[in-house]
Coordinates of all heavy atoms in Angstrom, one line a residue:
A41 N 26.3 -6.0 -9.2 CA 25.3 -7.0 -8.9 C 24.9 -7.8 -10.2 O 24.5 -9.0 -10.1 CB 24.0 -6.4 -8.3
H42 N 24.9 -7.2 -11.4 CA 24.5 -7.9 -12.6 C 25.7 -8.8 -13.1 O 26.8 -8.4 -13.0 CB 24.1 -6.9 -13.7 CG 22.8 -6.2 -13.4 ND1 22.7 -5.1 -12.7 CD2 21.5 -6.6 -13.8 CE1 21.4 -4.7 -12.6 NE2 20.7 -5.6 -13.2
Q43 N 25.3 -9.9 -13.6 CA 26.3 -10.8 -14.2 C 26.3 -10.9 -15.7 O 27.2 -11.3 -16.3 CB 26.0 -12.3 -13.7 CG 26.0 -12.4 -12.2 CD 27.3 -12.1 -11.5 OE1 28.3 -12.6 -12.0 NE2 27.3 -11.3 -10.5
T44 N 25.2 -10.4 -16.3 CA 25.1 -10.5 -17.8 C 24.6 -9.1 -18.3 O 24.4 -8.2 -17.6 CB 24.0 -11.5 -18.2 OG1 22.7 -11.0 -17.9 CG2 24.2 -12.8 -17.4
D45 N 24.4 -9.1 -19.7 CA 23.8 -7.9 -20.3 C 22.4 -8.1 -20.7 O 21.8 -7.4 -21.4 CB 24.6 -7.4 -21.4 CG 24.7 -8.4 -22.6 OD1 24.2 -9.5 -22.4 OD2 25.4 -8.2 -23.6
G46 N 21.8 -9.2 -20.2 CA 20.4 -9.6 -20.5 C 19.4 -8.7 -19.9 O 19.6 -8.1 -18.8
L47 N 18.3 -8.5 -20.6 CA 17.2 -7.7 -20.0 C 16.5 -8.5 -18.9 O 16.5 -9.8 -18.9 CB 16.2 -7.3 -21.1 CG 16.8 -6.6 -22.3 CD1 15.7 -6.3 -23.3 CD2 17.4 -5.2 -21.8
A48 N 15.9 -7.8 -18.0 CA 15.1 -8.5 -16.9 C 16.0 -9.5 -16.1 O 15.5 -10.6 -15.7 CB 13.8 -9.1 -17.4
E49 N 17.3 -9.2 -15.9 CA 18.1 -10.2 -15.2 C 17.7 -10.2 -13.7 O 17.5 -9.1 -13.1 CB 19.6 -9.8 -15.3 CG 20.5 -10.7 -14.5 CD 22.0 -10.3 -14.6 OE1 22.3 -9.5 -15.4 OE2 22.7 -10.8 -13.7
L50 N 17.6 -11.3 -13.1 CA 17.3 -11.5 -11.7 C 18.6 -11.5 -10.9 O 19.4 -12.5 -11.1 CB 16.5 -12.8 -11.4 CG 15.3 -13.0 -12.3 CD1 14.5 -14.3 -11.9 CD2 14.3 -11.8 -12.2
V51 N 18.8 -10.5 -10.1 CA 20.2 -10.4 -9.5 C 20.2 -10.9 -8.0 O 21.2 -11.0 -7.4 CB 20.7 -8.9 -9.5 CG1 20.8 -8.4 -10.9 CG2 19.7 -8.0 -8.7
C52 N 19.0 -11.2 -7.5 CA 19.0 -11.7 -6.1 C 18.4 -13.1 -6.1 O 18.9 -14.0 -6.7 CB 18.2 -10.7 -5.2 SG 18.3 -11.1 -3.4
S53 N 17.2 -13.3 -5.5 CA 16.5 -14.6 -5.5 C 16.0 -14.9 -6.9 O 15.9 -14.0 -7.8 CB 15.4 -14.5 -4.5 OG 14.5 -15.6 -4.7
N54 N 15.6 -16.1 -7.1 CA 15.0 -16.5 -8.4 C 13.5 -16.7 -8.2 O 12.8 -17.3 -9.0 CB 15.6 -17.7 -9.0 CG 15.3 -19.0 -8.2 OD1 15.3 -19.0 -7.0 ND2 15.1 -20.1 -8.9
S55 N 13.0 -16.3 -7.0 CA 11.6 -16.5 -6.7 C 10.7 -15.3 -6.8 O 11.1 -14.2 -6.5 CB 11.5 -17.0 -5.2 OG 10.1 -17.1 -4.8
F56 N 9.5 -15.5 -7.4 CA 8.5 -14.4 -7.5 C 7.6 -14.5 -6.3 O 6.5 -13.9 -6.3 CB 7.7 -14.5 -8.8 CG 8.5 -14.2 -10.1 CD1 8.0 -14.3 -11.3 CD2 9.8 -13.7 -10.0 CE1 8.7 -14.0 -12.5 CE2 10.5 -13.4 -11.1 CZ 10.0 -13.5 -12.4
R57 N 7.9 -15.4 -5.4 CA 7.1 -15.6 -4.2 C 5.8 -16.3 -4.5 O 5.6 -16.9 -5.5 CB 6.9 -14.3 -3.4 CG 8.2 -13.6 -3.0 CD 8.1 -12.6 -1.9 NE 6.9 -11.7 -2.0 CZ 6.8 -10.7 -2.8 NH1 7.8 -10.4 -3.7 NH2 5.7 -9.9 -2.9
S58 N 4.8 -16.3 -3.6 CA 3.6 -17.1 -3.7 C 2.9 -16.8 -5.0 O 2.7 -15.7 -5.4 CB 2.7 -16.8 -2.5 OG 1.5 -17.6 -2.6
D59 N 2.3 -17.9 -5.6 CA 1.5 -17.8 -6.8 C 0.0 -18.1 -6.4 O -0.8 -18.3 -7.3 CB 2.0 -18.8 -7.8 CG 1.6 -18.5 -9.2 OD1 1.6 -17.3 -9.5 OD2 1.3 -19.4 -10.0
D60 N -0.3 -18.1 -5.1 CA -1.7 -18.4 -4.7 C -2.5 -17.1 -4.9 O -2.4 -16.2 -4.1 CB -1.6 -18.8 -3.2 CG -3.0 -19.0 -2.6 OD1 -4.0 -19.0 -3.4 OD2 -3.1 -19.1 -1.4
H61 N -3.3 -17.1 -5.9 CA -4.1 -15.9 -6.2 C -5.4 -15.8 -5.4 O -6.2 -14.9 -5.6 CB -4.4 -15.8 -7.7 CG -5.2 -17.0 -8.3 ND1 -6.5 -17.0 -8.2 CD2 -4.7 -18.1 -8.9 CE1 -6.9 -18.2 -8.8 NE2 -5.8 -18.8 -9.2
E62 N -5.7 -16.8 -4.6 CA -6.9 -16.8 -3.8 C -6.7 -16.4 -2.3 O -7.6 -15.8 -1.7 CB -7.6 -18.1 -3.8 CG -8.2 -18.5 -5.2 CD -9.0 -19.7 -5.2 OE1 -8.8 -20.5 -4.2 OE2 -9.8 -19.9 -6.1
G63 N -5.5 -16.6 -1.8 CA -5.2 -16.3 -0.4 C -3.9 -15.6 -0.1 O -3.5 -15.5 1.0
N64 N -3.3 -15.0 -1.2 CA -2.0 -14.3 -1.0 C -2.0 -13.1 -1.9 O -2.3 -13.2 -3.0 CB -0.9 -15.3 -1.3 CG 0.5 -14.7 -1.0 OD1 1.0 -13.9 -1.8 ND2 1.1 -15.0 0.1
A65 N -1.5 -12.0 -1.3 CA -1.5 -10.7 -2.1 C -0.5 -10.8 -3.2 O -0.8 -10.2 -4.3 CB -1.2 -9.6 -1.1
G66 N 0.6 -11.5 -3.0 CA 1.6 -11.6 -4.1 C 1.0 -12.4 -5.3 O 1.2 -12.1 -6.4
G67 N 0.3 -13.5 -4.9 CA -0.3 -14.4 -6.0 C -1.4 -13.6 -6.7 O -1.6 -13.8 -7.9
L68 N -2.1 -12.8 -6.0 CA -3.1 -11.9 -6.6 C -2.5 -11.0 -7.6 O -3.0 -10.8 -8.7 CB -3.9 -11.1 -5.5 CG -4.9 -10.1 -6.0 CD1 -6.0 -10.7 -6.9 CD2 -5.4 -9.3 -4.9
L69 N -1.3 -10.4 -7.3 CA -0.6 -9.5 -8.2 C -0.2 -10.3 -9.4 O -0.3 -9.8 -10.6 CB 0.6 -8.9 -7.5 CG 1.4 -7.9 -8.3 CD1 0.5 -6.7 -8.6 CD2 2.6 -7.4 -7.5
H70 N 0.2 -11.5 -9.3 CA 0.5 -12.4 -10.4 C -0.7 -12.5 -11.3 O -0.6 -12.3 -12.6 CB 0.9 -13.8 -10.0 CG 2.2 -13.8 -9.2 ND1 2.8 -15.0 -8.8 CD2 3.1 -12.9 -8.8 CE1 3.9 -14.8 -8.1 NE2 4.1 -13.5 -8.1
W71 N -1.8 -12.8 -10.7 CA -3.1 -13.0 -11.5 C -3.5 -11.7 -12.3 O -3.8 -11.8 -13.4 CB -4.2 -13.3 -10.5 CG -5.5 -13.7 -11.2 CD1 -5.9 -14.9 -11.6 CD2 -6.6 -12.8 -11.5 NE1 -7.2 -14.8 -12.1 CE2 -7.6 -13.5 -12.1 CE3 -6.7 -11.4 -11.4 CZ2 -8.8 -12.9 -12.6 CZ3 -7.9 -10.8 -11.8 CH2 -8.9 -11.6 -12.4

Side-chain angles (χ1 to χ4, degrees):
H42 289 88
Q43 303 295 315
T44 74
D45 60 1
L47 302 177
E49 180 183 344
L50 308 182
V51 299
C52 188
S53 167
N54 70 322
S55 176
F56 291 175
R57 305 196 318 280
S58 175
D59 202 35
D60 174 11
H61 60 82
E62 294 187 339
N64 185 279
L68 172 63
L69 185 60
H70 294 182
W71 185 92

